[in-house]
Amino acid sequence: MTLGVVTGAVTVGLCWAGVSLTGAGTAKEAAAAEEAQTRSAEATAADQPEETATPFSTDGTLTLQDAGAGLDAGEICSGTGGYSDIDFGTQVTVTDADGTLVAMGLLSLGEKTDAGCEFPFTVDDITPGSKFYTVEVSHRGGLTQTEEDLRAGSLAFSLGD
């Protein structure tokens, strides 16, 4: 019986030693695999242009054609009559291809130009990644733009004759 106990103890000891040594190798391999995976994820993120991952801004103008009669160039103007909703503070919305609102801006003060009454605007924090976007001022119907167009800015919209 003593021989059986000694043989059992030796067998358990050898098994424990084998598992311990194998486990240490596996832990090192797992750590190396995790590090490689982290490096791969970082490399993939580095390959992606930062501008496509972060919100962006656009700007442009809305011109009310032939508006501001009797005003000199550079004077402040606003929409009248059927265009009375076009004025300083009027909302500019940007929706994505699914129709989800992704950003909002406001018209700035209108200024009389040769073309009419021109309202500059800026829209910040536009969520990137949509196939296209729709930009709408007030309730006047939206115009479709690509992300590239929005990123380039200097959008030019007009209303009126």
Side-chain angles (χ1 to χ4, degrees), residues 31 50 80 139 150:
E50 184 177 326
T80 59
H139 63 279
L150 292 184

Side-chain angles (χ1 to χ4, degrees), residues 51 56-58 130-133 145-155:
E51 68 180 28
F56 63 96
S57 299
T58 194
S130 185
K131 292 180 184 178
F132 62 87
Y133 296 86
Q145 305 290 318
T146 65
E147 183 171 327
E148 184 178 326
D149 292 338
L150 292 184
R151 285 183 182 277
S154 298
L155 305 174

Side-chain angles (χ1 to χ4, degrees), residues 90-115:
T90 298
Q91 200 170 61
V92 179
T93 59
V94 178
T95 55
D96 64 13
D98 295 326
T100 302
L101 179 68
V102 295
M104 291 187 334
L106 302 172
L107 293 180
S108 295
L109 285 173
E111 183 178 310
K112 175 66 174 143
T113 66
D114 291 339

Side-chain angles (χ1 to χ4, degrees), residues 22-89:
T22 303
T26 303
K28 287 180 184 175
E29 289 171 4
E34 184 177 338
E35 183 178 331
Q37 186 177 16
T38 301
R39 276 193 240 132
S40 175
E42 290 170 353
T44 300
D47 291 341
Q48 299 274 338
E50 184 177 326
E51 68 180 28
T52 62
T54 58
F56 63 96
S57 299
T58 194
D59 64 353
T61 57
L62 170 69
T63 302
L64 281 178
Q65 296 179 352
D66 300 325
L71 296 176
D72 292 329
E75 287 190 73
I76 294 174
C77 56
S78 60
T80 59
Y83 298 109
S84 61
D85 59 315
I86 307 298
D87 203 351
F88 172 75

